[in-house]
Amino acid sequence: MIINQYIILKDKETKLPYLCKIKECKWNNKLNSYKKIVDFFNHTFYMNLADEEYVYILSLDTQMQPIGIFQVSHGTASTSYCNKREVALFLVLSGANNFILLHNHPSGVVKMSEDDMASINKIQKVATTLGVNYVQDLVIGGDKFNNGIYCEELDTDEMNMNDINENEFLYDREDDNWLPFGLHKDKED
C-alpha cells in the first residue's frame, strides 16, 4: 500500500491552492484498525518518539481507504495549534469523504486535554459544514494510544476486528450513531 503525503501550495499564476505530493509512504498492511493506523504513523512519522507535538489528517474515501496524509501542525513540547482553514482546504482538495485526526503527546500521557477537546469540537464543526465525516481522533503517546473510547498499549496482540463486541465501541454523536473505523457490519477484513 502506498499513501501519499501532501502539502498545500499556491499556484503562482492563479493564486489558487493545490495539493503537492511530497512523500510516498509505503506500508505492507491494510490500515483497518486503530492499532495498524497508529503503527503506520509511528513507523512513518516517529510520532511515538517526537519531542514536539505533530497533528496529521488521514483522509479516507467512501470505502474507508486512505487517500492521503497532511501535516496540519507542528507545535511545541506541550501544544500544537490547528487552523480550521488548512483542515478544510486539505479535506476539500484531497476529495475526502471521511478522515481521522491524529496527534502525539510527547509527555507519553494519552489522555485528551481540554485544549484537545476544544480543537476537536472546532474541527468537527468544519467537517460537518463540508459534509465530510470526522471518523475519529487518535492521541499517540510513547507506547500507548487513545481514541477517546479506549486506551491501548501498543505491545499487545493485534486486535482481531471480528472478535470485538461492537456495542462496546459505539460512539454516539449528536447527529448520528457511528461505528469506529474498521467496524463495518457489511465488510470482512
Side-chain angles (χ1 to χ4, degrees):
M1 167 183 291
I2 295 176
I3 307 168
N4 295 321
Q5 182 182 7
Y6 297 94
I7 60 172
I8 298 172
L9 298 178
K10 189 182 289 189
D11 184 89
K12 288 181 183 180
E13 191 175 303
T14 65
K15 307 291 185 207
L16 295 174
Y18 67 95
L19 292 181
C20 176
K21 180 173 76 171
I22 60 170
K23 182 178 182 178
E24 278 190 357
C25 306
K26 295 180 182 179
W27 193 243
N28 293 329
N29 296 312
K30 289 183 179 181
L31 297 182
N32 58 0
S33 73
Y34 294 126
K35 183 183 181 309
K36 289 178 183 178
I37 293 169
V38 170
D39 287 345
F40 168 78
F41 274 83
N42 284 341
H43 175 79
T44 307
F45 300 107
Y46 307 102
M47 290 184 68
N48 58 327
L49 302 173
D51 196 40
E52 293 144 348
E53 282 197 17
Y54 288 84
V55 181
Y56 288 92
I57 288 177
L58 175 62
S59 65
L60 305 162
D61 65 16
T62 57
Q63 300 299 309
M64 301 300 281
Q65 297 303 306
I67 297 172
I69 299 165
F70 178 69
Q71 181 181 309
V72 178
S73 179
H74 174 188
T76 66
S78 61
T79 190
S80 192
Y81 178 74
C82 290
N83 190 319
K84 295 182 290 186
R85 176 189 176 274
E86 281 69 34
V87 169
L89 266 176
F90 179 69
L91 293 174
V92 170
L93 291 174
S94 72
N97 296 96
N98 303 284
F99 73 101
I100 295 174
L101 186 73
L102 300 98
H103 79 280
N104 67 312
H105 284 177
S107 67
V109 176
V110 293
K111 181 179 179 188
M112 292 185 196
S113 68
E114 288 182 27
D115 287 342
D116 290 342
M117 296 308 292
S119 291
I120 288 165
N121 287 334
K122 289 177 186 176
I123 292 170
Q124 280 179 324
K125 289 178 184 175
V126 168
T128 299
T129 300
L130 295 173
V132 179
N133 184 33
Y134 181 35
V135 176
Q136 191 62 57
D137 40 86
L138 299 172
V139 179
I140 300 168
D143 62 350
K144 294 181 266 192
F145 73 93
N146 181 354
N147 71 356
I149 301 168
Y150 67 94
C151 178
E152 182 175 333
E153 297 279 341
L154 291 174
D155 60 352
T156 60
D157 291 336
E158 202 168 300
M159 256 194 237
N160 181 347
M161 299 311 280
N162 296 323
D163 294 338
I164 293 176
N165 176 354
E166 292 177 356
N167 294 325
E168 292 176 14
F169 299 100
L170 286 176
Y171 187 82
D172 188 17
R173 295 194 175 169
E174 289 180 21
D175 53 357
D176 63 325
N177 289 325
W178 170 84
L179 286 171
F181 182 77
L183 298 178
H184 298 282
K185 294 177 185 174
D186 58 348
K187 288 187 177 181
E188 293 294 322
D189 188 17

